[in-house]
Each structure stands twice: as structure tokens, then as C-alpha cells.
Amino acid sequence: MTYAIVYDSRTGNTEELARAVAGALPAQGCLAFGRVDEVDAASMAQADRVYAGFWTNRGDCTDEMGELLAGLAGKEVFLFGTCGFGADETYFAGVAARAAAHLPESAQIVGTFMCQGRMPSSVRRRYEHTAAQNPAQAARMAQLIANFDEAAAHPNDDDLVRLRAKVQAALSA
């Protein structure tokens, strides 16, 4: 099997996942590894399977990843990514489903994996500022700050172990 690993990463979280995917796969067969704007289209076209990673943008993959996914007709696809929000499998499944909607009907999803990811510290400062400036929003901002603090520990070793296991399961299927 030939494959390509392509990812879109803003803060390094999804790149970390992409490196874990690469570590779980045999080196032979890898036609491409890199960012969505760096991977050679010819290598992608030759790959039997594409491992596509993204950070969550408005509950979906990024526009650049959506465009790449739309061009994967006839490919096996494994989707993976990070979300700053939601440590909940239902939320993760919704994000993966929205990303999968970019794929052509002839593409086959062979696996998915989502986990929380660290957010820039500017996000926490924005929540703190909003809470201070708008007391009516303080309770909601406290929830968002708690989520931010939880996400700061991800992706962690457990996330990477679970991702590698899912990649291995997709290889065996």
C-alpha cells in the first residue's frame, strides 16, 4: 500500500499527530509527508491511502484541507485532527463528519481520530478580558477558561497511543 500524510497545523498540535501517524506506518510506501500547501499533487494522486490531518476551524476542517479532501476521488482516507474545544466523543464525531462531507462519494473513510489540542495563550486572555468587561458573560467565560486549561495538556501521550492504535487497526482492516 502506498500512502501520503498531509496535514494543516496552526499551533503544532496536528503536526504532532501527523508525526505519530508516520511513526505507526511502515516507511516503505510513503509517497509524501507534509503540510497541505507543501505536498506534491502528483504524489497524492499516486497514493492508495491519504492520512489527512487538520485543526478544527468553526467546527470543520480548514478551507485548504476541505479543498484537498474534495480531490481525493477513489482514495482510502484516514481523517485525524485536533479541537481546542470539546473533550467529548460526540463533538469529535461531528467535526470528523463535517470534514468527511468534503470527500467525493467514491472516497472511502478507513478511520478517524480526533482529540483536544492546545490553543494560543491569546485565547485565554481574550476570555479573561471578556469576563472582566462583561460580567453577564463571566460564567460562560469561566467555562471556556476551564476548557482552555484542559486543552493545554493535549495532545498528550495517551492521545498519541490511541491515534497509533487506530492507524494500526486501519492497516489491519
Side-chain angles (χ1 to χ4, degrees):
M1 175 192 73
T2 59
Y3 66 90
I5 301 170
V6 59
Y7 62 91
D8 199 355
S9 187
R10 178 183 254 182
T11 60
N13 297 326
T14 307
E15 181 175 1
E16 185 175 353
L17 295 185
R19 293 191 185 289
V21 169
L25 295 168
Q28 69 275 12
C30 182
L31 301 178
F33 176 91
R35 292 183 178 274
V36 68
D37 58 348
E38 298 172 347
V39 171
D40 175 53
S43 296
M44 294 286 291
Q46 292 176 347
D48 300 315
R49 182 176 289 179
V50 175
Y51 293 85
F54 56 90
W55 57 276
T56 302
N57 184 29
R58 299 180 309 267
D60 197 350
C61 64
T62 62
D63 293 342
E64 295 81 6
M65 183 56 70
E67 289 175 25
L68 181 132
L69 293 174
L72 298 181
K75 302 288 182 194
E76 292 182 350
V77 180
F78 186 106
L79 298 171
F80 65 95
T82 57
C83 304
F85 291 98
D88 175 272
E89 290 302 321
T90 303
Y91 177 73
F92 292 155
V95 172
R98 284 184 288 282
H102 297 278
L103 291 165
E105 284 187 31
S106 63
Q108 177 189 1
I109 297 175
V110 296
T112 63
F113 177 84
M114 300 294 297
C115 70
Q116 274 190 298
R118 293 176 297 282
M119 294 176 273
S121 58
S122 61
V123 173
R124 191 178 204 285
R125 286 192 304 273
R126 186 175 68 237
Y127 297 155
E128 291 167 342
H129 178 76
T130 300
Q133 296 299 311
N134 188 350
Q137 292 291 314
R140 175 69 178 136
M141 293 302 110
Q143 290 174 327
L144 294 175
I145 289 168
N147 178 79
F148 176 95
D149 292 345
E150 173 61 28
H154 296 274
N156 61 24
D157 290 341
D158 181 57
D159 296 325
L160 299 177
V161 166
R162 290 184 303 111
L163 171 58
R164 288 184 198 105
K166 285 202 168 196
V167 168
Q168 288 293 314
L171 273 179
S172 302

